[in-house]
Amino acid sequence: MPRGTRKSEVLAATLISSMNHALARLMDIWDGLGIKEEMRLRRMEEVKKHVEELLNRMISEEVDMKDRIEKSIQSCLKELKVLCHELSVEEYMVDEGMTVLQTERDLRVRLEILLTEKNERLEELRLLQQKDIELCTDLCVTPYYIPTGSIPSRQQLEELKEHIKVYTEEKKQRLQVFSNLRSEIRQCLDEMGRQPENSLEQDAICEDEEAFFLTVDNIKALRVLKEQLELKKETMLSNMSALKERVQVLWCRLLIPQNEQETCQKAPLCPIADSIKLWENELLRLEDLKKANLKDVVLKIREELKMYWDKCFYTKEQRNAFTPYYSDDFTEDLLSQHDEEVVRMRLQYEKCKEMLDAVNKWETSWGQFVLLEKKATDPNRFSNRGGSLLKEEKERVKLQKLLSKLEDELKTRIEAWEIEQGCAFLLKGSRFMDYVTSQWEMHKKQKEREKQDRSLKKEEHTPFKTPIKRPAGSCIQGTPSNKTRKTPVKTRDTPGRTPLQDSNKQSCGLSSQPGSYSAFKEEMTKKSSHSEAVFNSTVNENL
């Protein structure tokens, strides 16, 4: 038997005992008063009636309480079912072993917990949605959607938090981008010296960051605006550089004193627009001064023009083609023609500068090589025993290799340049490889003429001698005193070189001649391979 049942039975027995004791007490009192039996019965009936009414009232109250508890249980179950569905939690299951009171109390506690969680979720949702709406309004994006009137699940709240976190970081990045773009645009406008001209430029440099919507389109528009301003700035800088260049050219031509130049160059820092205005004013002043000194300016331009002609290896015919160069009628029209020609030559030089520098290096090396070749044919070179002959020979071999290397490099670079530019690269009116071939041919012919001249001079100075019969049995004890040891001059021929293209050979008419450039180079190669063996030898090369 359950412990609670035993206690209730004990209490019931105690109650019955108490009632019996009370009745016995009443009987004793009635006996002492001498109340008759009929009165006792009536009184007993009154006692019974009172006890029954009390018990019935108590029973009724208890029944009502039981009904209320059962109704409360049913109500709690319904509310719990709705809350579990709204909160997306498992439905609460009643324990079969609990009493009605225990069940009612447990359901009430569980209901309070779920109601508290519901209120907490709704409050958290309100705060999160408020923040989300602010972010999405600034970024012009769609807020996270949760159906109105519904209770968000824990997963939805976590997703909303992640959504807010992502857009918070996005706003931070966009704000940083906006701040950088605003600073760059403001700096660009300040450097150019101009004020905002439209609403976008005004919004871009405003101090209130909240007034600018950080949308993707707005950020893109700011980037485009920055690029446009930078392009305008670069254009202004380019124009200013062109102005400076024109001014500096006029300074040089007009021989403007250095202190006046420094006054203009050391002007205080100011916006580009103001600087352009300053240089424009200086250019106008110099243009007026130029018109007053046309002859001196034209002569200065001619010096500059001659410098570019020399750098571009122009022939006399090419130079004569510019007839204003030789005119003595110094007018503004003549000055304009010279200016245009200088600009054209400058552009042409800049276009081919790298190759012209390489060609100039070849020309310099070629001149040194020809000079060393000429020294190699000088009979007096053997009088110097200080080691200069060996140094000259090493330098000649070094120059020979350098010339070959430069020719190969220039050939490749010129071919690529001609393909890229769509025009021929001419040097002194000829293609470069044709010019190189002609130089080697001229050098070969010059060496042959010098060799023939030396042979003729030698024959003219050698007297005819009648042979004398030597006595039999005679022997030579020594070298006759009237004979001197002769050291013949050993001429150095040009060593072998890299063959030119067939097209260059045909253009020069070398392929069908016995003395062609290829045959000449092959001959020079054979001779140069024995140069060390015959160096400083007394063997006469004419024998």
Side-chain angles (χ1 to χ4, degrees):
M1 180 180 294
R3 184 176 180 182
T5 303
R6 291 198 301 268
K7 286 184 177 182
S8 61
E9 289 179 353
V10 171
L11 288 173
T14 304
L15 179 60
I16 294 172
S17 175
S18 296
M19 290 180 65
N20 290 333
H21 181 72
L23 289 174
R25 178 71 175 162
L26 284 173
M27 292 296 290
D28 291 339
I29 293 171
W30 290 338
D31 287 342
L33 293 174
I35 298 174
K36 296 181 180 181
E37 187 67 23
E38 293 178 359
M39 291 295 292
R40 290 183 179 184
L41 290 176
R42 283 198 300 270
R43 289 180 183 275
M44 288 293 292
E45 287 292 334
E46 289 294 331
V47 172
K48 175 184 177 185
K49 182 180 177 181
H50 282 294
V51 172
E52 286 179 352
E53 287 178 356
L54 177 61
L55 291 175
N56 288 333
R57 189 169 62 251
M58 292 181 64
I59 290 172
S60 177
E61 291 176 356
E62 296 299 323
V63 169
D64 292 339
M65 183 185 67
K66 179 182 177 184
D67 292 339
R68 287 197 308 271
I69 291 174
E70 289 177 350
K71 289 179 181 179
S72 176
I73 289 173
Q74 295 301 322
S75 177
C76 288
L77 286 173
K78 290 180 181 180
E79 291 184 21
L80 282 173
K81 185 176 181 180
V82 173
L83 282 174
C84 290
H85 177 71
E86 290 178 343
L87 298 176
S88 300
V89 296
E90 294 182 0
E91 189 174 344
Y92 180 74
M93 302 299 295
V94 180
D95 188 357
E96 297 282 343
M98 290 192 299
T99 62
V100 175
L101 288 173
Q102 291 174 337
T103 301
E104 192 270 340
R105 184 173 61 253
D106 187 65
L107 290 174
R108 191 171 60 252
V109 172
R110 182 64 179 171
L111 183 61
E112 290 176 357
I113 293 173
L114 293 181
L115 285 173
T116 302
E117 183 174 354
K118 175 182 177 180
N119 294 331
E120 289 176 352
R121 289 192 190 182
L122 290 174
E123 180 64 19
E124 185 176 5
L125 175 64
R126 185 184 67 82
L127 296 176
L128 291 175
Q129 283 184 329
Q130 182 180 354
K131 191 173 183 180
D132 185 42
I133 290 173
E134 292 176 359
L135 279 173
C136 294
T137 301
D138 292 340
L139 301 177
C140 290
V141 294
T142 304
Y144 185 83
Y145 176 71
I146 293 179
T148 305
S150 64
I151 300 175
S153 63
R154 284 297 176 188
Q155 182 179 357
Q156 288 177 320
L157 290 175
E158 291 299 325
E159 291 176 355
L160 178 55
K161 289 179 182 179
E162 184 65 25
H163 180 268
I164 293 174
K165 179 180 178 182
V166 170
Y167 278 108
T168 300
E169 185 65 26
E170 178 69 16
K171 180 180 178 180
K172 182 179 178 181
Q173 292 177 0
R174 292 189 188 181
L175 190 60
Q176 182 64 36
V177 172
F178 168 71
S179 299
N180 294 338
L181 289 173
R182 181 180 60 181
S183 300
E184 293 173 358
I185 290 173
R186 185 180 296 164
Q187 180 181 359
C188 198
L189 289 173
D190 292 341
E191 290 178 355
M192 289 192 294
R194 53 167 285 192
Q195 297 297 323
E197 298 178 351
N198 51 51
S199 59
L200 180 60
E201 292 182 1
Q202 292 174 355
D203 293 339
I205 64 173
C206 67
E207 295 293 339
D208 187 10
E209 297 178 350
E210 300 297 331
F212 188 84
F213 290 102
L214 302 174
T215 64
V216 175
D217 293 337
N218 285 347
I219 296 295
K220 184 177 179 181
L222 284 182
R223 286 198 174 98
V224 173
L225 175 61
K226 188 199 79 168
E227 292 174 358
Q228 291 174 347
L229 291 176
E230 287 181 345
L231 182 61
K232 291 180 181 179
K233 175 184 171 183
E234 291 297 327
T235 302
M236 294 177 69
L237 288 174
S238 177
N239 293 337
M240 187 172 69
S241 298
L243 284 172
K244 285 183 178 180
E245 185 176 351
R246 292 175 62 186
V247 167
Q248 289 171 353
V249 169
L250 289 177
W251 280 345
C252 181
R253 291 174 181 173
L254 298 173
L255 301 176
I256 301 298
Q258 187 66 28
N259 58 349
E260 293 186 20
Q261 298 181 23
E262 292 178 354
T263 302
C264 188
Q265 290 175 339
K266 294 181 179 181
L269 294 177
C270 58
I272 300 176
D274 296 341
S275 297
I276 290 177
K277 188 66 177 177
L278 177 66
W279 287 101
E280 285 177 345
N281 293 336
E282 178 66 10
L283 181 62
L284 290 175
R285 185 182 74 85
L286 294 175
E287 288 288 347
D288 294 338
L289 191 60
K290 181 180 70 174
K291 292 177 182 179
N293 299 273
L294 283 176
K295 181 177 180 179
D296 294 338
V297 174
V298 170
L299 293 178
K300 277 289 182 181
I301 296 177
R302 286 177 178 176
E303 292 178 4
E304 185 179 357
L305 189 58
K306 182 178 182 302
M307 176 191 68
Y308 283 118
W309 281 345
D310 294 339
K311 288 183 176 180
C312 294
F313 300 96
Y314 261 39
T315 61
K316 185 176 181 181
E317 290 76 10
Q318 289 175 303
R319 303 184 187 206
N320 291 338
F322 182 64
T323 55
Y325 185 86
Y326 307 97
S327 175
D328 293 332
D329 185 13
F330 298 100
T331 62
E332 291 187 15
D333 184 51
L334 183 69
L335 177 61
S336 299
Q337 292 176 341
H338 279 71
D339 280 331
E340 293 174 359
E341 182 66 13
V342 164
V343 171
R344 187 185 70 82
M345 289 302 304
R346 185 185 299 117
L347 293 176
Q348 181 176 338
Y349 173 71
E350 293 296 334
K351 185 178 179 181
C352 313
K353 185 177 183 302
E354 293 183 1
M355 285 186 297
L356 289 173
D357 291 344
V359 169
N360 184 59
K361 185 177 180 180
W362 183 90
E363 283 278 350
T364 303
S365 301
W366 172 254
Q368 295 174 354
F369 177 77
V370 171
L371 181 62
L372 290 175
E373 286 277 287
K374 188 175 181 180
K375 286 183 179 181
T377 61
D378 185 8
N380 297 325
R381 73 188 192 282
F382 295 106
S383 62
N384 188 346
R385 296 296 182 178
S388 60
L389 291 178
L390 182 59
K391 292 180 180 178
E392 291 177 1
E393 178 64 16
K394 289 182 178 180
E395 183 66 21
R396 188 183 67 83
V397 173
K398 181 180 177 181
L399 286 173
Q400 171 195 342
K401 294 179 180 179
L402 178 61
L403 286 170
S404 178
K405 180 180 178 181
L406 288 174
E407 289 171 13
D408 293 339
E409 291 179 355
L410 278 168
K411 180 174 178 291
T412 304
R413 292 173 61 178
I414 290 174
E415 289 176 352
W417 184 89
E418 290 178 342
I419 293 174
E420 180 182 353
Q421 301 295 331
C423 58
F425 179 80
L426 300 180
L427 182 66
K428 297 184 179 180
S430 304
R431 300 178 76 92
F432 174 73
M433 297 311 297
D434 296 341
Y435 172 75
V436 170
T437 303
S438 66
Q439 292 294 308
W440 280 102
E441 282 296 319
M442 290 173 58
H443 181 62
K444 174 190 173 184
K445 291 177 182 179
Q446 179 67 24
K447 287 176 64 66
E448 289 178 351
R449 284 196 298 268
E450 291 176 357
K451 184 176 180 180
Q452 291 174 1
D453 292 343
R454 289 196 303 271
S455 298
L456 291 175
K457 289 180 181 180
K458 187 175 182 180
E459 291 177 359
E460 291 175 357
H461 291 82
T462 302
F464 178 77
K465 295 181 180 181
T466 303
I468 301 174
K469 186 174 182 181
R470 199 180 294 262
S474 64
C475 63
I476 299 174
Q477 299 297 328
T479 303
S481 61
N482 62 344
K483 294 183 180 181
T484 60
R485 182 180 181 86
K486 293 183 179 180
T487 303
V489 176
K490 175 64 177 179
T491 60
R492 302 296 186 192
D493 292 331
T494 305
R497 300 185 48 75
T498 304
L500 301 173
Q501 292 181 338
D502 293 339
S503 59
N504 292 330
K505 294 178 182 179
Q506 292 174 2
S507 62
C508 295
L510 299 177
S511 59
S512 60
Q513 298 179 6
S516 64
Y517 179 50
S518 299
F520 168 70
K521 289 167 65 179
E522 183 177 359
E523 178 185 356
M524 293 301 101
T525 303
K526 291 179 180 180
K527 288 187 176 183
S528 63
S529 63
H530 300 287
S531 59
E532 296 298 333
V534 299
F535 187 74
N536 282 340
S537 172
T538 58
V539 179
N540 192 335
E541 63 179 1
N542 293 324
L543 293 179

